[in-house]
Structure formats: C-alpha cells, structure tokens
Amino acid sequence: MNIRDSEIMAQKLAEAGYLETSVLEDASLILLNTCSVRGKAEQKVFSMLGSLRKLKAENPDLKICVAGCVAQQEGQKIIDRMEHVNLVIGTQHIYNIPELLERSTNNKTAINLSDSYEIPKYIPQVSGHPAPAPQISDSQQFQFSRFVTIMQGCNNFCTYCVVPYTRGREVSRKATDIVNEIQTLIEAGVVEITLLGQNVNSYGCTNPVTHGALPYSFPDLLAEVSSISGLQRLRFTTSHPKDLSERLIECFDQIDNLCPQIHLPVQSGSDRILKRMNRKYCISDYLEKVDLLKAIRPDIAITTDIIVGFPGETEEDFQQTLELLERVRYHGSFSFKYSDRPETRAADLDGKLSEAEKGRRLQEFQKRQDEISLERNREYVGYQKSILVENNSEGKMMGRTVTNHIVHVEQAPDHIVPGSLVTAEIIHAGRHSLKGAIPPSRI
Ligand code: SAH
Ligand code: SF4
C-alpha cells in the first residue's frame, strides 16, 4: 500500500512539474514515505532523517517532507525533533501534496488525519513522468503489473496493530472509480492488476457500495473487474481469514484470470494467542478455509504473516505455530518479532518476551519455513509454467508465474519483451525463486 501511495505522490508531483532524480544531492525536494507497522521501520525513518541534516545544511533551499504512517502518528513531534524537516503530512493528504508543499514555503506545517474521508477519484499514472530527467531511475520503466487501491483504513483493531490509528477507519472506493482506473491502465498496456486493501474481503461493508439497487461486495467486484477485456491476471491482497467467505473461495474456481495465489495472514497457530490478538477466528475455522481453498483450487499457493513472541506466548503456543506450518505447508511467509506499537492494546499486556527469546523463535520458524518453501518450489520442477515477463536484457529474463513465483531464465531470446506471457519449463528450484528454460518449441 505504501508503494502505491508513493506512486500517487510521484504522479501528483510530476503533474505539478517536478522531475525525479536518483541523485540525492541534486534534489530540491526529498520526500520520505514511511511505515510504522513495526518499531524497526520507524527507527529507520529517524536515522534517515538524521543523515539528511548535513545535506540540508549544505543546501538550505532543500525541502524535506515526511509522509505516511510515521508522519500520521508523530505529526508535529517530527518537526520538533528534526528542525530541518519542512513538512509532515498524514496518510490521507497524499493527494494534495503539491499544494501542501506550496503552502509550506515559509511556515513549517504538520497535517494530520481528517475524520471524514473519501478517497479521491484520481487518474492512475500509466507511463513514466512527462519529461524524464536524463538520470531517471529504473522505477520509470513501464510496469505491466499495477496495484489498484480499492479501500483504505481498517476497523479490525487487532491488539498489536497500529494501522487503524495511522490509516483511520475503513473506507471503500466506488466500484465505478475502480473499474475506470483499471480500464485506463489496461488501455495503456497493463496486463496484471492487484487489488489492494488492508482487508479486501470486507470491501463494501462499512460504507455499502451499491450497483443499481443491489448491494455490492468483494466477489461482485472481482467478477466485474475480471471481465474487463485485456486483463490477463488478477490478484488481491490482503485477506483477513475471518471475512474469507465460501463465495469468495469459489471465485478461484469460477474466475479464469484470478491467479491461484492467496496471502492469508494467520499471525499465530495458538487459539489462546489469537484471542489475545483479537483476530476473531480460531485455528479450526482457519484450517477449514485453507482446506476448501485447496480443494477448489489444488494448485493454489498460500502465503501468510506470522508474529512470534506476542505478549504471553508460551513455548507451547509457539509450538502450535510450528505445527500449523507443517499442516498448511505455506509456499512462503513473512514473519516478525512482536513489537510494541503506540496506542495499541497489546502494548499494555503483560507477559512480554525478551528480544533474545523472540529472536530464537523467529529463527526457528524461518528455518523451517525456508525448508518447506524449498520443498514446495521443487514441486514445480519439470513442469511448464506461464510467465509474465518483467524484464529481459542481455539474455537474462525474469518473470512471475500465476502463483507469484519469480522465475529466472538464462539465455532468453531477445525478442521476448516485458509484458508478454511466455511458457517456461522449470528446471531448478531455490528457496526464493525458480529457474526456467524456454522449450525450443515455444521460442
Ligand atoms: N491487514 C493485514 C496486515 C497489515 S500489517 C492483515 O490483517 O493481515 C502487516 C503485518 O505486519 C501483519 O500481518 C503482522 O504480521 C505484522 N505486524 C503488525 N503489527 C505488528 C507488531 N506490532 N509487531 C510485529 N508485527 C506486526
Ligand atoms: Fe492491522 Fe488487523 Fe487491520 Fe490487518 S486487520 S490492518 S492486522 S488491525
């Protein structure tokens, strides 16, 4: 979601005449888009800001702006602590960034979360900036796979999570705006879309989206988007297990271009910890949904998020997380040591674990996940897979399968251009990527 927000801010700045540079010293504006989901991400922002102090001293006209969740959370405190920062903008003001920068010419301004909020109807950026500077970065390459935000904020208040505080309440975008945005992207050459939200499954629940007189939910949106002509691949993220309905699971059978891949964060394998996390499901509900997904779409790749060392997590709770890993055999996972976040209920819970113990559990979890990922990846060896090419230069090609696995192909023919779909035979599996070869009959 931060990547998409950065794209939107870059687009808004480009429209206002800014050019992107990859040389920090050449910049007249440095904008940090920030994440505060874990303490470590937040520390990185302050250390980066500290290192920019010297640049500002050398170039007093340089503007430094902080956006995103840390900006939302800390507001004025950032300016108080870092006097070289010009502007701090909250998560819901990214669309007005050029005006806010204009206003901050003389006065330092901190802007925070507004109470009522509707996501604007913005036109997606579909190509590079209008007049690229010579030193333009690689991010200016046309991207054939794009993110489209369908909702913002979250109402779930998992006890460890800062998102409802930094991003505000859940708001769904209008279906017509989403469809129009995707149509524009496809007309420009995009072939793959990922629908984005903190909990896409509850799309249309808090501010009901209607279509004519009928209520409209996430499976309706998926069906409508999937039928837009020219869309080759459709994905979505993230799904909260409690809101993953049977109707949504069936979409994996019914919608041809919906990729067989789902990120389904479980967080813990222990019912006791899930309750303390306020996740509102238990492991047996979760497994029922996983089994249904696998039954309906046997080739589905399932990934997850795990927090180890949540306050009060015993060795037995942790063992249950490891057991879940063996049961589901996730294709991959993102795992984190629990960290206290401001305002969250978990920050006040007792039973905090030491950093060393959290580190030990994380290492043990990741070691086993890596082994399972490798075993999972080996299941693809010897099979032909369709790859969406992301780049191909000097004989080195990289693309992704429908299950979102990265495939590297050596000695790929030059005529295969990014954005095309090719068939590759998987010849080798690593933990984090696959190697493929293009069969002679497919060249
Ligand atoms: N909306 C998504 C997740 C958003 S945050 C969902 O509900 O799944 C991304 C991930 O960061 C979470 O899934 C969780 O695993 C992790 N995370 C969030 N808060 C955390 C904290 N305080 N400590 C450690 N990890 C955390
Ligand atoms: Fe955070 Fe829970 Fe909302 Fe995900 S569902 S963003 S983890 S509060």
Side-chain angles (χ1 to χ4, degrees), residues 154 156-158 160-161 163-164 198 240 279:
C154 183
N156 286 316
F157 291 93
C158 302
Y160 51 81
C161 185
V163 170
Q198 291 297 348
H240 194 304
R279 288 291 285 180

Side-chain angles (χ1 to χ4, degrees), residues 316-383:
E316 196 188 331
D317 295 317
F318 174 60
Q319 288 303 323
Q320 288 175 2
T321 300
L322 293 176
E323 279 162 28
L324 183 73
L325 185 56
E326 303 299 331
R327 168 73 161 77
V328 181
R329 292 176 54 76
Y330 293 104
H331 284 73
S333 64
F334 299 101
S335 48
F336 316 100
K337 285 192 275 184
Y338 165 80
S339 76
D340 277 342
R341 305 310 297 130
E343 295 186 71
T344 60
R345 276 194 281 152
D348 296 328
L349 288 178
D350 49 17
K352 298 275 166 65
L353 278 82
S354 68
E355 281 304 306
E357 183 54 24
K358 286 191 280 187
R360 184 195 67 76
R361 291 185 190 183
L362 188 67
Q363 226 179 0
E364 190 174 341
F365 177 87
Q366 288 180 340
K367 184 168 169 276
R368 187 60 194 129
Q369 174 66 69
D370 279 352
E371 289 163 1
I372 292 176
S373 295
L374 182 59
E375 287 160 19
R376 280 296 201 179
N377 285 352
R378 285 187 178 140
E379 291 168 12
Y380 297 112
V381 175
Y383 289 92

Side-chain angles (χ1 to χ4, degrees), residues 119-341:
I119 310 172
K121 235 201 254 189
Y122 48 84
I123 298 296
Q125 182 191 8
V126 289
S127 56
H129 290 178
Q135 67 273 41
I136 213 78
S137 66
D138 288 348
S139 66
Q140 295 305 305
Q141 276 180 5
F142 187 83
Q143 293 160 273
F144 292 89
S145 174
R146 300 297 301 251
F147 293 126
V148 171
T149 303
I150 66 163
M151 64 208 296
Q152 282 191 352
C154 183
N155 290 353
N156 286 316
F157 291 93
C158 302
T159 54
Y160 51 81
C161 185
V162 79
V163 170
Y165 306 97
T166 55
R167 295 225 170 228
R169 294 297 81 75
E170 187 177 297
V171 185
S172 299
R173 280 180 82 194
K174 291 193 186 83
T176 46
D177 291 350
I178 297 169
V179 169
N180 288 344
E181 180 164 331
I182 294 172
Q183 258 157 354
T184 313
L185 290 167
I186 291 174
E187 278 159 26
V190 170
V191 292
E192 178 178 294
I193 293 289
T194 303
L195 303 177
L196 281 184
Q198 291 297 348
N199 178 14
V200 289
N201 304 356
S202 66
Y203 173 79
C205 290
T206 43
N207 54 321
V209 176
T210 52
H211 201 58
L214 296 171
Y216 195 83
S217 62
F218 187 55
D220 300 313
L221 181 70
L222 272 184
E224 184 165 355
V225 166
S226 69
S227 65
I228 299 175
S229 161
L231 181 66
Q232 307 268 11
R233 291 180 173 188
L234 178 59
R235 306 181 191 274
F236 58 83
T237 199
T238 294
S239 284
H240 194 304
K242 79 175 165 55
D243 298 313
L244 179 65
S245 64
E246 224 170 292
R247 194 170 157 229
L248 179 52
I249 294 175
E250 278 163 8
C251 290
F252 284 102
D253 176 41
Q254 289 157 0
I255 299 179
D256 286 345
N257 51 3
L258 181 62
C259 294
Q261 170 250 320
I262 187 166
H263 187 61
L264 197 59
V266 66
Q267 314 298 357
S268 168
S270 152
D271 284 343
R272 200 179 67 82
I273 295 297
L274 289 174
K275 202 156 196 284
R276 275 166 82 84
M277 289 177 163
N278 192 30
R279 288 291 285 180
K280 301 195 179 92
Y281 53 82
C282 59
I283 290 299
S284 65
D285 299 340
Y286 181 86
L287 286 174
E288 224 171 84
K289 292 182 187 192
V290 165
D291 289 344
L292 195 56
L293 279 163
K294 288 180 176 174
I296 277 185
R297 205 55 219 248
D299 58 340
I300 200 161
I302 304 179
T303 53
T304 200
D305 287 349
I306 295 284
I307 297 177
V308 299
F310 186 79
E313 184 189 78
T314 60
E315 182 59 31
E316 196 188 331
D317 295 317
F318 174 60
Q319 288 303 323
Q320 288 175 2
T321 300
L322 293 176
E323 279 162 28
L324 183 73
L325 185 56
E326 303 299 331
R327 168 73 161 77
V328 181
R329 292 176 54 76
Y330 293 104
H331 284 73
S333 64
F334 299 101
S335 48
F336 316 100
K337 285 192 275 184
Y338 165 80
S339 76
D340 277 342
R341 305 310 297 130

